[in-house]
Amino acid sequence: MLDLANKIRNITNKDVKVNFEKNKDSEYLVDNPSRRCPSIDKARSLLKFNPKIDLDEGLRRTRDYYASNFGGKNL
């Protein structure tokens, strides 16, 4: 999530601080691979989903969409 937040910050050219805090719940599954490494295998097999746009390009397109449609000149 920290990497994603930094990507969004960089793409929007915002000079904001991204904070990282560990969960205070000692039972939180920190080392659970399902939480750390999401997979789209199920979407590929069930929905025949095969992404053609990488994350960075998708974030740029999202930024541009909001800027065009919601007056987001501040993006």
Side-chain angles (χ1 to χ4, degrees), residues 8-58:
I8 293 169
R9 182 195 61 207
N10 292 337
I11 286 172
T12 58
N13 297 315
K14 289 291 185 183
D15 185 24
V16 295
K17 181 180 179 186
V18 175
N19 293 321
F20 174 77
E21 294 181 22
K22 289 189 176 185
N23 194 311
K24 294 178 177 109
D25 180 359
S26 62
E27 298 297 315
Y28 186 72
L29 302 173
V30 175
D31 291 324
N32 183 337
S34 297
R35 288 196 175 268
R36 294 180 311 177
C37 302
S39 171
I40 64 167
D41 290 342
K42 191 171 185 179
R44 285 186 176 163
S45 65
L46 295 177
L47 305 173
K48 307 301 181 219
F49 175 72
N50 190 20
K52 295 176 176 70
I53 298 168
D54 67 16
L55 179 60
D56 290 340
E57 179 62 21

